[in-house]
Short mmCIF file of all heavy atoms in Angstrom, two decimals:
data_model
loop_
_atom_site.label_atom_id
_atom_site.label_comp_id
_atom_site.label_asym_id
_atom_site.label_seq_id
_atom_site.Cartn_x
_atom_site.Cartn_y
_atom_site.Cartn_z
N SER A 651 22.43 -0.19 -2.09
CA SER A 651 22.41 -1.04 -3.29
C SER A 651 23.18 -2.33 -3.00
O SER A 651 24.29 -2.26 -2.49
CB SER A 651 23.07 -0.28 -4.45
OG SER A 651 23.15 -1.10 -5.58
N PRO A 652 22.60 -3.47 -3.28
CA PRO A 652 21.25 -3.64 -3.82
C PRO A 652 20.20 -3.36 -2.74
O PRO A 652 20.53 -3.29 -1.56
CB PRO A 652 21.24 -5.13 -4.20
CG PRO A 652 22.21 -5.77 -3.25
CD PRO A 652 23.27 -4.75 -3.00
N ASN A 653 18.97 -3.20 -3.20
CA ASN A 653 17.89 -2.91 -2.24
C ASN A 653 16.65 -3.75 -2.60
O ASN A 653 15.70 -3.26 -3.19
CB ASN A 653 17.56 -1.42 -2.28
CG ASN A 653 16.59 -1.03 -1.18
OD1 ASN A 653 15.97 -1.90 -0.56
ND2 ASN A 653 16.44 0.26 -0.94
N PRO A 654 16.69 -5.04 -2.25
CA PRO A 654 15.56 -5.91 -2.63
C PRO A 654 14.37 -5.76 -1.68
O PRO A 654 13.88 -6.74 -1.11
CB PRO A 654 16.18 -7.31 -2.54
CG PRO A 654 17.22 -7.19 -1.48
CD PRO A 654 17.74 -5.79 -1.51
N GLN A 655 13.90 -4.49 -1.52
CA GLN A 655 12.75 -4.26 -0.62
C GLN A 655 11.52 -5.02 -1.16
O GLN A 655 11.40 -5.23 -2.35
CB GLN A 655 12.49 -2.76 -0.46
CG GLN A 655 12.33 -1.97 -1.76
CD GLN A 655 10.96 -2.05 -2.39
OE1 GLN A 655 10.01 -2.48 -1.74
NE2 GLN A 655 10.85 -1.65 -3.64
N GLN A 656 10.65 -5.41 -0.25
CA GLN A 656 9.51 -6.25 -0.67
C GLN A 656 8.17 -5.52 -0.57
O GLN A 656 7.12 -6.16 -0.52
CB GLN A 656 9.47 -7.51 0.20
CG GLN A 656 10.63 -8.46 -0.09
CD GLN A 656 10.62 -9.70 0.76
OE1 GLN A 656 10.23 -9.66 1.92
NE2 GLN A 656 11.06 -10.82 0.22
N SER A 657 8.20 -4.20 -0.57
CA SER A 657 6.94 -3.46 -0.36
C SER A 657 5.92 -3.66 -1.47
O SER A 657 4.73 -3.40 -1.26
CB SER A 657 7.23 -1.97 -0.18
OG SER A 657 7.97 -1.79 1.00
N PHE A 658 6.35 -4.07 -2.66
CA PHE A 658 5.41 -4.34 -3.75
C PHE A 658 5.00 -5.82 -3.76
O PHE A 658 4.40 -6.28 -4.73
CB PHE A 658 6.03 -4.03 -5.11
CG PHE A 658 6.21 -2.55 -5.39
CD1 PHE A 658 7.45 -2.02 -5.67
CD2 PHE A 658 5.11 -1.69 -5.41
CE1 PHE A 658 7.62 -0.67 -5.95
CE2 PHE A 658 5.26 -0.34 -5.69
CZ PHE A 658 6.52 0.18 -5.96
N GLY A 659 5.33 -6.55 -2.70
CA GLY A 659 5.10 -7.98 -2.75
C GLY A 659 6.14 -8.62 -3.65
O GLY A 659 7.10 -7.98 -4.09
N ILE A 660 5.91 -9.87 -3.96
CA ILE A 660 6.88 -10.61 -4.78
C ILE A 660 6.17 -11.84 -5.32
O ILE A 660 5.21 -12.32 -4.71
CB ILE A 660 8.13 -10.96 -3.92
CG1 ILE A 660 9.21 -11.66 -4.71
CG2 ILE A 660 7.78 -11.79 -2.69
CD1 ILE A 660 10.54 -11.71 -3.96
N GLY A 661 6.60 -12.31 -6.50
CA GLY A 661 6.03 -13.56 -7.00
C GLY A 661 4.70 -13.37 -7.71
O GLY A 661 4.49 -12.38 -8.42
N GLU A 662 3.82 -14.31 -7.50
CA GLU A 662 2.56 -14.41 -8.25
C GLU A 662 1.77 -13.09 -8.29
O GLU A 662 1.23 -12.70 -9.31
CB GLU A 662 1.70 -15.51 -7.61
CG GLU A 662 0.40 -15.81 -8.32
CD GLU A 662 0.62 -16.48 -9.66
OE1 GLU A 662 1.66 -17.13 -9.86
OE2 GLU A 662 -0.28 -16.35 -10.53
N HIS A 663 1.68 -12.41 -7.15
CA HIS A 663 0.82 -11.22 -7.07
C HIS A 663 1.64 -9.93 -7.06
O HIS A 663 1.13 -8.88 -6.66
CB HIS A 663 -0.07 -11.28 -5.83
CG HIS A 663 -1.12 -12.34 -5.92
ND1 HIS A 663 -2.37 -12.11 -6.46
CD2 HIS A 663 -1.10 -13.65 -5.59
CE1 HIS A 663 -3.08 -13.23 -6.44
NE2 HIS A 663 -2.32 -14.19 -5.90
N PHE A 664 2.91 -10.01 -7.51
CA PHE A 664 3.76 -8.80 -7.50
C PHE A 664 2.96 -7.63 -8.06
O PHE A 664 2.28 -7.73 -9.08
CB PHE A 664 5.02 -9.03 -8.33
CG PHE A 664 5.88 -7.81 -8.44
CD1 PHE A 664 6.62 -7.39 -7.35
CD2 PHE A 664 5.92 -7.05 -9.60
CE1 PHE A 664 7.41 -6.23 -7.41
CE2 PHE A 664 6.70 -5.90 -9.68
CZ PHE A 664 7.45 -5.49 -8.58
N CYS A 665 3.07 -6.51 -7.37
CA CYS A 665 2.24 -5.35 -7.68
C CYS A 665 2.27 -4.97 -9.15
O CYS A 665 3.34 -4.69 -9.71
CB CYS A 665 2.71 -4.16 -6.84
SG CYS A 665 1.82 -2.66 -7.24
N LEU A 666 1.10 -4.90 -9.76
CA LEU A 666 1.02 -4.51 -11.17
C LEU A 666 1.35 -3.04 -11.35
O LEU A 666 1.77 -2.62 -12.42
CB LEU A 666 -0.41 -4.75 -11.68
CG LEU A 666 -0.67 -6.07 -12.37
CD1 LEU A 666 -2.14 -6.19 -12.69
CD2 LEU A 666 0.17 -6.19 -13.63
N GLY A 667 1.11 -2.25 -10.32
CA GLY A 667 1.32 -0.80 -10.44
C GLY A 667 2.73 -0.36 -10.06
O GLY A 667 2.99 0.85 -9.97
N ALA A 668 3.66 -1.30 -9.89
CA ALA A 668 4.99 -0.92 -9.38
C ALA A 668 5.70 0.09 -10.29
O ALA A 668 6.27 1.07 -9.80
CB ALA A 668 5.85 -2.18 -9.19
N SER A 669 5.65 -0.12 -11.60
CA SER A 669 6.33 0.81 -12.51
C SER A 669 5.71 2.19 -12.44
O SER A 669 6.40 3.21 -12.42
CB SER A 669 6.25 0.34 -13.96
OG SER A 669 6.94 -0.83 -14.12
N LEU A 670 4.38 2.20 -12.39
CA LEU A 670 3.68 3.49 -12.30
C LEU A 670 4.02 4.19 -10.99
O LEU A 670 4.29 5.40 -10.96
CB LEU A 670 2.16 3.24 -12.41
CG LEU A 670 1.27 4.45 -12.19
CD1 LEU A 670 1.57 5.55 -13.20
CD2 LEU A 670 -0.21 4.05 -12.30
N ALA A 671 4.01 3.43 -9.91
CA ALA A 671 4.29 4.04 -8.59
C ALA A 671 5.72 4.58 -8.55
O ALA A 671 5.95 5.70 -8.08
CB ALA A 671 4.08 3.00 -7.50
N ARG A 672 6.66 3.80 -9.06
CA ARG A 672 8.06 4.25 -9.04
C ARG A 672 8.23 5.54 -9.85
O ARG A 672 8.85 6.50 -9.40
CB ARG A 672 8.97 3.17 -9.62
CG ARG A 672 9.16 2.01 -8.67
CD ARG A 672 10.11 0.97 -9.26
NE ARG A 672 10.62 0.11 -8.22
CZ ARG A 672 10.52 -1.23 -8.23
NH1 ARG A 672 9.94 -1.85 -9.25
NH2 ARG A 672 11.00 -1.93 -7.24
N LEU A 673 7.64 5.53 -11.05
CA LEU A 673 7.75 6.72 -11.90
C LEU A 673 7.12 7.92 -11.20
O LEU A 673 7.67 9.03 -11.17
CB LEU A 673 7.07 6.46 -13.25
CG LEU A 673 7.08 7.61 -14.24
CD1 LEU A 673 8.51 7.95 -14.66
CD2 LEU A 673 6.24 7.28 -15.48
N SER A 674 5.94 7.73 -10.62
CA SER A 674 5.22 8.83 -9.96
C SER A 674 6.07 9.42 -8.84
O SER A 674 6.15 10.65 -8.69
CB SER A 674 3.91 8.35 -9.34
OG SER A 674 3.14 7.68 -10.28
N LEU A 675 6.69 8.55 -8.06
CA LEU A 675 7.47 9.03 -6.91
C LEU A 675 8.71 9.79 -7.39
O LEU A 675 9.04 10.85 -6.85
CB LEU A 675 7.85 7.85 -6.01
CG LEU A 675 6.66 7.19 -5.29
CD1 LEU A 675 7.05 5.85 -4.69
CD2 LEU A 675 6.10 8.11 -4.21
N ARG A 676 9.35 9.28 -8.42
CA ARG A 676 10.54 9.98 -8.93
C ARG A 676 10.17 11.36 -9.45
O ARG A 676 10.83 12.36 -9.16
CB ARG A 676 11.18 9.19 -10.08
CG ARG A 676 11.86 7.94 -9.61
CD ARG A 676 12.35 7.14 -10.82
NE ARG A 676 12.61 5.77 -10.43
CZ ARG A 676 12.82 4.77 -11.26
NH1 ARG A 676 12.80 4.96 -12.56
NH2 ARG A 676 13.06 3.56 -10.81
#
Side-chain angles (χ1 to χ4, degrees):
S651 176
N653 188 346
Q655 53 81 15
Q656 290 180 325
S657 295
F658 288 122
I660 183 166
E662 184 69 25
H663 291 270
F664 176 73
C665 176
L666 265 175
S669 294
L670 174 60
R672 286 182 162 124
L673 179 64
S674 307
L675 293 166
R676 289 175 198 167

